[in-house]
Amino acid sequence: MTTTSYMVWLIIGCALVTWLPRVIPFIFVRSVTLPDVVLKWLSFIPVCILSALVIENLIDTESGKVVTLDWQVFITFVPTLIIALVTKSLSITVVAGVIIMAAVRFFM
């Protein structure tokens, strides 16, 4: 595959379009003092995003019109959550979750 100047400029443009929206808010917030209410509200965003991702994976909507629980994911979620609460280590939690999910898929 040959690389043309068009492809290089396209990659640079895509990188800028991806990078700028992530950097501009940090530049703006760095020069502004945010009220305590806004800082408290912003502290809940990671929890909300993580909860949305977890709930989205726990619920199976592909089986038809009825929303059901994806049992493989639920069986993996419970021990992984316990490991996360006990160890408070992201690495251990991720590795344990992957291993548990592999075991659940292998045996089910």
Side-chain angles (χ1 to χ4, degrees):
M1 182 169 101
T2 60
T3 304
T4 64
S5 63
Y6 173 76
M7 289 176 64
V8 172
W9 284 112
L10 182 66
I11 292 170
I12 292 170
C14 290
L16 283 173
V17 167
T18 301
W19 183 71
L20 284 176
R22 296 175 187 200
V23 171
I24 290 174
F26 287 110
I27 294 170
F28 173 72
V29 171
R30 186 172 44 175
S31 62
V32 175
T33 304
L34 297 174
D36 289 337
V37 174
V38 174
L39 292 175
K40 184 172 176 104
W41 177 75
L42 287 172
S43 72
F44 291 112
I45 290 179
V47 174
C48 293
I49 292 171
L50 181 62
S51 299
L53 291 171
V54 168
I55 297 301
E56 177 189 14
N57 284 317
L58 282 174
I59 296 174
D60 180 22
T61 57
E62 294 179 8
S63 61
K65 294 185 179 183
V66 178
V67 176
T68 59
L69 191 63
D70 188 350
W71 286 102
Q72 285 186 341
V73 176
F74 183 74
I75 291 169
T76 304
F77 172 72
V78 173
T80 305
L81 178 64
I82 293 169
I83 290 169
L85 293 173
V86 170
T87 65
K88 295 183 180 16
S89 169
L90 180 61
S91 332
I92 294 172
T93 303
V94 170
V95 170
V98 169
I99 291 171
I100 294 168
M101 188 64 178
V104 166
R105 287 185 177 169
F106 182 74
F107 291 112
M108 287 186 87

